Amino acid sequence: MDFAELSLKKRIKRCRDFSAPYRVVDGDSFKLSDIDPADTAKLESEDKPKAKEVLQLGVETLAALQDQLYAQDRWSVLLIFQAMDAAGKDGTIKHVMSGVNPQGCQVYSFKGPSAEDLDHDYMWRCIKCLPERGRIGIFNRSYYEEVLVVKVHEDMLARQKLPPQLVRKSIWDERYQDIRNIERYLVRNGTVVLKFFLHVSAEEQKKRFLARLDDPSKNWKFSMADARERGFWKDYQKAYEQMIRATATKRAPWYVVPADNKWFTRLVVAAAIIDALGALELAYPEVDAATMAELEAARAVLEQG
Ligand code: ATP
Ligand code: MG
């Protein structure tokens, strides 16, 4: 049956099934090579127009759920996006969240740390940006950079002003552990935590970088530094795999999303968010009898005037 004709409950179920193959809840058995960046779950490029239609319906479904999330004002939702450059983080955020009321959504992009950031522990700047209850907070990059770019370029660690005796071999395992603990704390306090790794292949990244050079409207997106990072591709893939293995949990899962086809990436991300919001059994707050009577009195006043 068409997605359009399904009830909300059935749409949520469909989203759960669709996103499940990419969800990692138990790191121990995870291997990055198990996920093909070009995977489209057997959908062909002829299905692309249909996929776009379904995404539009997904966006509407998400907007309806977010409206209830906001009205209920109990849960917060934290969506973390990590990826190599040009994997499509920005476009995915833009498209998937396009129907959501801007008042209920906050996006933060984390770049290299400032001098003020470096005067604190690495979580400090992220904790300041955590979503309020009733809101969806999006981290475009996050504290996970601390076990990715900082691990690949260890000289960055030296600039973090840590007491030297704390900078030892076990620091990466300690960071994984601290991240797991912080996420557990957030979940226990009513934040839903979903983490997305947009998994692009080296060949597709190269194509997208070349497109940024060829198209004047994309020139601004190209950076020589990004191209240089390609030289560390293998180190990054290893760091991503280790990070996912160490921090994928049932309460704060990773989604490893094939990212060579943007239309497919967006579908999986939208489905995963709908699944998570659907599981909260959101509802508009019910009005008690006294308030109901007040509303009726207000109606009477309005009708008289
Ligand atoms: P886009 O390229 O699509 O505009 P982006 O997220 O790549 O988005 P950039 O300004 O290109 O944004 O890059 C941000 C850079 O900041 C990345 O290279 C990332 O690795 C780096 N960065 C983020 N957090 C940290 C951190 N904690 N320590 C060091 N570098 C970091
Ligand atoms: Mg960049």
Side-chain angles (χ1 to χ4, degrees), residues 85-86 89 111 141 212 221 223 226:
D85 278 295
K89 283 185 284 114
K111 316 268 176 188
R141 302 190 186 273
R212 289 179 179 183
K221 277 195 172 183
S223 122
D226 292 352

Side-chain angles (χ1 to χ4, degrees), residues 113 144-158 160 172 175 236:
Y144 278 105
E145 292 290 326
E146 295 292 335
V147 290
L148 293 166
V149 68
V150 182
K151 195 173 180 194
V152 171
H153 299 286
E154 277 208 29
D155 52 309
M156 288 187 183
L157 195 57
Q160 294 195 340
W172 309 114
R175 287 187 170 191
Y236 272 108

Side-chain angles (χ1 to χ4, degrees), residues 16-286:
R16 156 151 296 217
D17 295 344
F18 185 68
S19 56
Y22 310 103
R23 181 166 54 236
V24 185
V25 294
D26 171 18
D28 288 347
S29 53
F30 174 72
K31 282 210 307 286
L32 194 51
S33 55
D34 286 348
I35 305 274
D36 175 7
D39 177 23
T40 54
K42 298 208 178 83
L43 295 169
E44 309 283 347
S45 52
E46 302 87 77
D47 298 320
K48 226 166 116 175
K50 183 80 194 152
K52 284 194 173 159
E53 243 174 72
V54 174
L55 179 63
Q56 187 48 38
L57 291 167
V59 166
E60 286 164 26
T61 309
L62 192 55
L65 289 166
Q66 187 245 356
D67 204 49
Q68 293 185 335
L69 181 87
Y70 188 82
Q72 205 179 46
D73 203 18
R74 290 291 179 273
W75 299 96
S76 354
V77 179
L78 175 62
L79 308 176
I80 293 180
F81 288 88
Q82 289 290 157
M84 296 299 284
D85 278 295
K89 283 185 284 114
D90 292 4
T92 302
I93 294 168
K94 180 166 125 189
H95 283 89
V96 172
M97 303 314 284
S98 60
V100 163
N101 178 353
Q103 285 206 79
C105 184
Q106 299 148 317
V107 185
Y108 297 95
S109 299
F110 292 96
K111 316 268 176 188
S114 69
E116 191 189 15
D117 295 334
L118 290 174
D119 256 338
H120 296 83
D121 61 279
Y122 67 83
M123 277 288 175
W124 178 77
R125 64 176 183 159
C126 296
I127 285 182
K128 285 194 297 181
C129 300
L130 287 171
E132 297 164 42
R133 294 197 193 280
R135 311 275 168 114
I136 299 177
I138 296 177
F139 283 3
N140 184 349
R141 302 190 186 273
S142 66
Y143 46 83
Y144 278 105
E145 292 290 326
E146 295 292 335
V147 290
L148 293 166
V149 68
V150 182
K151 195 173 180 194
V152 171
H153 299 286
E154 277 208 29
D155 52 309
M156 288 187 183
L157 195 57
R159 272 181 257 132
Q160 294 195 340
K161 297 174 72 180
L162 286 159
Q165 58 270 48
L166 298 182
V167 183
R168 42 193 176 201
K169 245 183 102 201
S170 56
I171 191 162
W172 309 114
D173 282 334
E174 287 164 10
R175 287 187 170 191
Y176 296 141
Q177 191 184 8
D178 292 336
I179 288 172
R180 277 198 308 271
N181 287 342
I182 292 239
E183 290 179 350
R184 183 174 64 174
Y185 164 82
L186 290 174
V187 171
R188 282 177 169 174
N189 284 278
T191 300
V192 175
V193 182
L194 299 183
K195 306 170 299 199
F196 296 96
F197 169 47
L198 307 191
H199 185 27
V200 74
S201 65
E203 304 80 74
E204 180 62 25
Q205 189 202 46
K206 185 170 167 182
K207 255 197 234 160
R208 291 183 190 176
F209 279 166
L210 289 172
R212 289 179 179 183
L213 292 176
D214 292 342
D215 178 349
S217 75
K218 289 184 180 166
N219 280 172
W220 65 276
K221 277 195 172 183
F222 184 80
S223 122
M224 199 52 213
D226 292 352
R228 253 184 263 120
E229 285 308 278
R230 275 175 66 77
F232 299 94
W233 189 270
K234 278 203 174 131
D235 298 334
Y236 272 108
Q237 299 299 299
K238 196 169 149 213
Y240 268 109
E241 184 175 80
Q242 287 173 337
M243 170 194 85
I244 293 165
R245 287 177 65 89
T247 59
T249 59
K250 207 159 167 247
R251 54 167 74 87
W254 271 104
Y255 283 87
V256 180
V257 187
D260 278 5
N261 296 283
K262 290 179 181 173
W263 58 274
F264 186 72
T265 310
R266 292 167 190 172
L267 271 187
V268 174
V269 171
I273 304 171
I274 291 170
D275 168 33
L277 291 187
L280 301 179
E281 296 186 7
L282 298 167
Y284 288 104
E286 281 196 25

